[in-house]
């Protein structure tokens, strides 16, 4: 099935690029790196880029501010990156396919019951893409169409080189996973102005703590989440989003995905960004503003999550 | 203000404001109820609070109390002094174990994800820096103060006040979830006077909490040395319940070295600390969660020194023969190996012994070595030809009956006695002991009895605890260093 997926992506991807009006051809894209850490934390770094730890202690030059910036942005390839409005792997600087694509090695399909699939798409065009839609054409063993399932990508805009999660369920009409022999993928999007995309994603993500699903005493009440008074609480991740220079974000949200050790998407959840100390969703996040989020994942596999890689997107419009 | 002046001011403040003064001002708190905190960490927190930019009204002392309040809960210190070295014991994610294997034999090469008094974790605020930065309260306090000030002021801007704003500031520290931190805050900070109170200082807890500064080099003979730190839970200062083997769900790590370089955090476990058959190195890209980003290696070329003045990687000032080995190195009598080690337990060969004695005597240029070799196994092209021939001419050695010197044979304790005795000119002996011999395994009939008795009499060597000399035992390099140093000093 996966071989079929890869082939279908390759074929349909060309059509997708045409639908989008065509890209500028394969090439490279710049990373939306966070502002230099020496600018974000001027009190921490000296002019030589070494961190100052107390007036009478020697500066720590093991990693300079510039080196930290470089490692946060990540090396070439699919390595983990910490960028404006994003932290995680699979962001590429090399636009090899000039279209929106499904990253087939991230796709997890249901093996039984109703067909469903989750995974990552990636924008390999040179422009940000908004309103990204993933379509899966489900085929049986004879090649006959069982259904076309589609779903929105919760990250918008998806910047050039950026991955984004999707989840599809073939529940209306229901299609049994056992009946699906192959899938043809199509990813559609609408080009977005670069400036608009930058303003909507000029956000810095920070996670603070993770609480595995368990009964907790006392129950946790944080942001817009409250644990049930009895019984196990869900898997929680608490963090914040800060507006960077140029940020102008309406309805800020955080999208999260967990990538399992096999590289495939395990879970995807979304959370509003709420006022620090409160539970009300923020309408707007601008330069210098701070908001909190709590990711709530019900009944996950604790062991699987413990070794899963968390990918975060801070989004808005 | 300099650090020392600030420290003095902080201590005076503590004397005036903390436990003792509480009684003087009639507080209901007794001195025994005071919360303990290290003097230097206290200074670091006060300093950090004073230097932290903030966008709302909160006093320096108020921010300092905000910063300190979480530490007792985060470290489980009770009312004792929080330990700056505290290593988290809760998390058992497989990626934190050696080679991501919780069942590994080497599981105590364990990467503790949360470190320090504020339990900075690589999954959160601790991601951009390495463990030593956050174990040191000089690094951790400013980071905590900055995060708390930002969040406190954001909450104030959002219309929250008092306890709600403080709770918002503490949200990244989940141990405060049950409201205890608010109680502690009220305990240690007088909101009416704006003064800290009920904190008893202790000099037993330093800024680094027992973490030791070292100098580490990597890369074998081309090592570049840079600062690193030695983290040994057994050396933790403050409340160190977490260092006990059964204190948590995760293992407690063996001592390790930690440093950062080029955007990566390195933790290295040397075999001398672990007893493993190899060294272990784990690497984390700064900015990433250790649970999913560690790379493990089974060996390393790390050379850890107490200071740049330490000559050999494997001979620290704690080594019982440190002084003697540093002396032979400083005098040019012995040098180390290409990897920077001295290998103190390695045996000494006869050719090395020749070189040591030659150098001990000042590397004399005369007499020139003969054109005809004295031994058939030490030719003119031999690396130690000059030294061995010098030994012959000084009458220190005659070699074996078959005209060999056997340069690679190990030197025994009896041979060492003979070499040094002859080098000293075979001096006249004092009267023998009444029993005829100092050691039962070196009777008067022993061929080197005289030399061994002389060696002991001059204080160059002594016997073993059971009264024997073990004349046939090979001499280690560390023992040789000691013999040579005593020879030079005592004669």
């Amino acid at each position: 099935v996966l071989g079929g997926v890869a082939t279908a992506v390759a074929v349909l991807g060309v059509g997708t690029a045409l639908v989008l009006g065509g890209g500028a051809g394969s090439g490279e894209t710049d990373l939306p790196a966070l502002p230099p850490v020496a600018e974000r934390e001027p009190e921490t770094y000296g002019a030589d880029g070494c961190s100052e730890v107390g007036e009478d202690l020697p500066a720590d030059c093991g990693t300079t501010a510039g080196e930290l910036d470089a490692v946060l942005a990540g090396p070439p390839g699919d390595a983990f990156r910490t960028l404006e409005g994003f932290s995680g792997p699979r962001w590429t600087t090399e636009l090899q396919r000039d279209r929106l694509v499904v990253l087939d090695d991230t796709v997890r399909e249901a093996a039984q019951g109703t067909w469903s699939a989750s995974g990552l798409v990636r924008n390999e065009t040179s422009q940000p893409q908004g309103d990204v839609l993933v379509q899966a054409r489900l085929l049986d063993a004879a090649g006959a169409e069982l259904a076309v399932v589609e779903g929105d990508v919760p990250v918008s805009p998806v910047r050039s080189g950026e991955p984004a999660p999707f989840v599809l369920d073939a529940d209306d009409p229901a299609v049994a996973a056992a009946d699906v022999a192959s899938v043809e993928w199509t990813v559609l999007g609408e080009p977005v102005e670069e400036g608009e995309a930058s303003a909507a994603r000029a956000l810095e993500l920070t996670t603070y703590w993770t609480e595995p699903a368990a009964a907790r005493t006392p129950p946790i009440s944080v942001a817009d989440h409250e644990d049930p008074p009895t019984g196990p609480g869900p898997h929680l991740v608490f963090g914040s989003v800060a507006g960077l220079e140029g940020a102008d974000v309406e309805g800020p949200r955080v999208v999260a995905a967990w990538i399992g050790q096999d590289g495939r998407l395990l879970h995807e959840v979304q959370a509003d960004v709420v006022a620090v100390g409160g539970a009300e969703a923020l309408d707007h996040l601008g330069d210098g503003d701070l908001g909190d989020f709590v990711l709530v994942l019900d009944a996950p596999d604790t062991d699987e999550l413990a070794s899963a890689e968390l990918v975060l997107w801070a989004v808005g419009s | 203000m300099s650090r020392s002046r600030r420290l003095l001011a902080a201590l005076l403040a503590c004397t005036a404001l903390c436990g003792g003064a509480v009684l003087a001002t009639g507080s209901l708190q007794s001195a025994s109820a005071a919360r303990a905190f290290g003097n230097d960490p206290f200074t670091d927190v006060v300093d950090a609070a004073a230097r932290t930019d903030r966008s709302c009204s909160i006093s320096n002392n108020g921010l300092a109390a905000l910063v300190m309040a979480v530490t007792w809960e985060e470290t489980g210190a009770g009312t004792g002094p929080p330990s700056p070295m505290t290593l988290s014991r809760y998390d058992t994610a497989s990626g934190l174990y050696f080679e991501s294997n919780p069942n590994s034999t080497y599981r105590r090469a364990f990467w503790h994800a949360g470190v320090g008094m504020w339990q900075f974790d690589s999954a959160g605020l601790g991601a951009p820096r390495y463990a030593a930065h956050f174990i040191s309260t000089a690094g951790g306090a400013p980071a905590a103060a900055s995060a708390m000030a930002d969040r406190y002021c954001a909450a104030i801007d959002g219309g929250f006040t008092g306890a709600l704003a403080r709770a918002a500031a503490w949200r990244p520290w989940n141990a405060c979830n049950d409201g205890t931190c608010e109680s502690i805050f009220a305990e240690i900070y007088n909101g009416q006077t704006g003064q800290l109170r009920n904190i008893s200082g202790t000099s037993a807890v330093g800024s680094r909490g027992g973490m030791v500064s070292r100098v580490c080099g990597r890369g074998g003979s081309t090592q570049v040395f840079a600062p690193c730190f030695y983290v040994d839970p057994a050396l933790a200062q403050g409340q160190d319940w977490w260092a006990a083997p059964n204190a948590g769900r995760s293992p407690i790590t063996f001592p390790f070295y930690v440093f950062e370089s080029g955007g990566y955090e390195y933790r290295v476990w040397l075999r001398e600390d672990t007893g493993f058959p190899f060294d272990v190195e784990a690497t984390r890209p700064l900015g990433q969660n250790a649970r999913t980003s560690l790379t493990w290696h089974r060996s390393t070329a790390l050379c850890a020194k107490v200071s740049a003045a330490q000559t050999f990687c494997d001979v620290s000032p704690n080594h019982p023969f440190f002084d003697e080995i540093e002396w032979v190195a400083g005098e040019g009598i012995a040098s180390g190996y290409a990897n920077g080690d001295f290998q103190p337990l390695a045996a000494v060969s006869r050719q090395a012994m020749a070189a040591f004695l030659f150098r001990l005597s000042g590397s004399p240029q005369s007499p020139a070595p003969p054109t005809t070799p004295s031994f058939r196994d030490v030719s003119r092209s031999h690396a130690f030809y000059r030294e061995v021939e010098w030994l012959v001419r000084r009458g220190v050695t005659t070699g074996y009956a078959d005209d060999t010197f056997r340069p690679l044979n190990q030197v025994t304790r009896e041979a060492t006695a003979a070499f040094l005795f002859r080098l000293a000119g075979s001096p006249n002996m004092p009267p023998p002991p009444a029993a005829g011999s100092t050691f039962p395994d070196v009777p008067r009939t022993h061929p080197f009895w005289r030399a061994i008795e002389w060696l002991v009499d001059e204080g160059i060597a002594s016997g073993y605890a059971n009264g024997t000399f073990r004349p046939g035992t090979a001499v280690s390099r560390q023992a040789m260093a000691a013999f040579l140093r005593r020879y030079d000093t005592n004669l």
Side-chain angles (χ1 to χ4, degrees):
Chain A
V1 172
L2 287 177
V5 171
T7 303
V9 169
V11 172
L12 293 174
V14 174
T16 304
L18 292 174
V19 169
L20 294 171
S26 60
E28 294 190 355
T29 185
D30 293 332
L31 293 168
L34 290 167
V37 67
E39 287 181 15
R40 285 184 283 142
E41 301 177 36
E43 72 282 3
T44 304
Y45 292 96
D48 55 0
C50 300
S51 56
E52 307 282 352
V53 186
E55 287 181 13
D56 298 342
L57 296 174
D60 189 342
C61 298
T63 292
T64 63
E67 289 171 330
L68 182 56
D69 288 334
V71 79
L72 290 177
D78 281 349
F80 194 99
R81 302 179 193 281
T82 303
L83 305 170
E84 287 194 0
F86 175 82
S87 71
R90 304 309 297 262
W91 187 304
T92 188
T93 56
E94 297 173 0
L95 307 176
Q96 295 184 338
R97 289 177 279 192
D98 196 23
R99 61 182 183 267
L100 285 155
V101 299
V102 171
L103 298 176
D104 57 279
D105 59 346
T106 69
V107 175
R108 187 182 305 278
E109 289 185 71
Q112 55 191 11
T114 303
W115 183 89
S116 66
S118 60
L120 296 176
V121 297
R122 188 159 67 190
N123 178 9
E124 296 192 9
T125 78
S126 58
Q127 281 185 282
Q129 303 288 339
D131 300 327
V132 176
L133 182 75
V134 179
Q135 290 181 339
R137 184 167 176 248
L138 310 183
L139 306 174
D140 67 13
E145 180 179 298
L146 296 169
V148 175
V149 184
E150 62 181 33
D152 294 325
V153 167
V155 175
S156 185
V158 181
R159 293 161 293 179
S160 181
E162 185 174 21
F166 69 89
V167 178
L168 301 181
D169 289 299
D171 50 7
D172 186 21
V175 177
D179 294 337
V180 178
S182 61
V183 182
E184 291 180 357
W185 299 95
T186 305
V187 190
L188 304 170
E190 293 290 337
V192 174
E193 290 296 324
E194 190 70 53
E196 186 182 333
S198 298
R201 306 292 303 280
L203 301 166
E204 181 179 6
L205 282 154
T206 302
T207 52
Y208 296 132
W209 48 257
T210 297
E211 279 288 339
R216 291 183 274 260
T217 304
I220 288 179
S221 173
V222 60
D224 51 353
H225 167 79
E226 283 194 23
D227 271 349
T230 57
H235 184 88
L236 300 177
V237 178
F238 177 62
S240 71
V241 178
L244 299 168
E245 184 177 356
D248 182 12
V249 186
E250 299 295 330
R253 288 177 299 119
V254 171
V255 177
W258 284 263
I259 307 290
Q261 285 190 303
D262 60 359
R264 300 182 186 279
L265 196 141
L266 284 170
H267 303 283
E268 181 261 332
V269 299
Q270 300 178 44
D272 288 330
V273 175
V274 304
V276 173
E280 296 295 316
L282 291 174
D283 295 330
H284 180 263
L285 202 65
D287 183 359
D289 291 341
L290 187 67
D292 286 339
F293 66 88
V294 59
L295 304 170
V296 181
L297 196 55
D298 288 312
D301 182 317
T302 303
D303 290 338
E304 202 171 35
L305 273 181
S307 57
E309 199 161 34
L310 178 62
V311 193
L312 294 174
W313 294 263
V315 301
S317 58
Chain B
M1 189 186 296
S2 73
R3 179 181 172 83
S4 56
R5 288 185 60 195
R6 278 197 308 275
L7 174 60
L8 178 60
L11 290 173
L12 290 172
C14 208
T15 301
L17 302 170
C18 302
V22 169
L23 294 174
T25 55
S27 165
L28 296 176
Q29 297 289 336
S30 66
S32 61
R35 289 182 175 272
F37 209 79
N39 287 340
D40 289 343
F42 180 82
T43 306
D44 289 331
V45 170
V46 170
D47 274 1
R51 290 198 309 238
T52 298
D53 291 334
R54 65 206 78 167
S55 60
C56 65
S57 176
I58 179 173
S59 69
N60 289 346
N61 281 345
L63 181 55
L66 206 62
V67 170
M68 277 188 282
V70 304
T71 61
W72 287 279
E73 288 296 285
E74 284 289 334
T75 62
T79 56
S83 169
M85 194 197 284
T86 304
L87 301 172
S88 62
R89 298 294 302 277
Y90 180 75
D91 203 319
T92 56
S94 60
L96 301 174
Y97 289 87
F98 176 65
E99 295 181 340
S100 301
N101 178 12
N103 300 316
S104 168
T105 303
Y106 311 111
R107 64 200 304 266
R108 286 191 65 185
F110 181 79
W111 185 294
H112 295 272
V115 296
M117 204 181 271
W118 290 272
Q119 283 294 286
F120 284 100
D121 190 299
S122 62
L125 289 170
R129 306 236 154 62
Y130 71 130
H133 185 92
F134 292 122
I135 288 176
S136 167
T137 51
S146 176
M148 288 188 198
D150 286 350
R151 294 185 58 79
Y152 180 83
C153 291
I156 294 290
D157 290 347
F160 297 97
T161 58
L164 292 177
R166 287 190 288 275
W170 291 322
R171 264 295 168 214
W173 286 270
N174 204 22
C176 289
N177 182 49
D178 62 359
T180 307
C181 293
E182 178 64 21
S183 301
I184 296 173
F185 179 84
E187 192 181 325
I188 65 172
Y189 180 66
N190 185 331
Q192 293 185 325
T193 65
Q195 301 297 336
L196 295 165
R197 61 183 179 185
N198 288 331
I199 303 170
S200 60
T202 171
S203 60
V205 180
S207 286
R208 292 172 182 160
M211 178 176 71
V212 182
S213 177
R214 289 279 191 265
V215 181
C216 288
R218 300 169 73 235
S221 59
T222 58
Q223 296 176 89
V224 175
F225 285 87
C228 64
F229 295 92
Y230 183 62
V231 180
D232 180 354
L235 302 178
Q237 299 167 347
Q239 292 291 71
D240 61 353
W241 63 270
W242 51 269
N246 297 321
R249 296 178 356 137
S250 80
I252 183 67
T253 182
F254 277 129
F256 63 93
Y257 292 86
V258 61
F259 56 96
E260 62 172 354
S261 178
Y264 292 82
E265 175 178 6
Y266 294 81
R267 297 188 191 180
V268 176
W269 291 261
L270 297 183
R271 65 191 80 183
E272 66 200 55
D273 287 322
T274 63
F276 298 167
F278 46 80
D279 297 338
V280 172
E281 178 182 286
T283 310
R284 177 180 72 93
L286 295 178
Q288 294 190 37
N289 186 347
R291 295 163 185 81
T292 53
S293 68
L294 296 183
T295 304
W296 293 90
H297 300 285
R298 281 191 175 228
S299 63
T300 177
L302 186 79
C303 170
K305 298 180 180 180
V306 170
S307 72
Q310 179 184 326
T311 304
F312 301 108
C313 308
D314 56 349
V315 184
S316 75
N318 296 328
H319 193 286
F321 294 101
F322 173 77
D323 289 340
E324 290 84 353
I325 292 170
E326 286 291 330
W327 181 80
V328 294
E331 294 293 319
I333 295 169
S335 56
Y337 291 84
N339 67 352
D341 283 351
F342 183 75
Q343 297 189 15
L345 295 177
V348 177
S349 65
R350 287 168 58 85
Q351 65 184 22
M353 182 75 188
F356 292 159
L357 298 181
F358 178 75
R359 295 169 192 156
L360 179 67
S361 301
S363 300
Q365 295 302 304
S366 64
T371 54
T372 303
S374 301
F375 304 110
R376 54 192 174 87
D377 56 353
V378 183
S379 69
R380 293 186 62 185
S381 61
H382 191 282
F384 294 101
Y385 177 69
R386 181 187 187 89
E387 289 84 350
V388 171
E389 289 295 347
W390 176 84
L391 222 58
V392 173
R393 294 191 169 216
R394 281 291 306 267
V396 175
T397 184
T398 55
Y400 291 88
D402 60 355
D403 288 340
T404 62
F405 180 70
R406 303 178 193 175
L408 296 177
N409 277 12
Q410 294 179 359
V411 175
T412 58
R413 286 168 59 83
E414 63 188 14
T416 300
F419 285 150
L420 293 175
F421 178 66
R422 295 169 192 156
L423 186 68
S426 301
N428 291 326
M429 287 286 295
S437 177
T438 304
F439 304 105
D441 53 350
V442 188
R444 293 189 66 133
T445 54
H446 191 285
F448 298 111
W449 169 80
R450 191 174 167 214
I452 291 170
E453 291 290 348
W454 171 84
L455 201 69
V456 172
D457 189 62
E458 291 291 349
I460 296 171
S462 58
Y464 289 86
N466 66 355
T468 63
F469 185 75
R470 301 180 193 172
T473 299
V475 173
S476 64
R477 285 166 60 83
Q478 65 185 24
M480 182 61 70
F483 292 155
L484 297 181
R485 176 74 190 276
R486 293 172 197 153
Y487 178 95
D488 184 77
T489 302
N490 297 355
L491 294 188

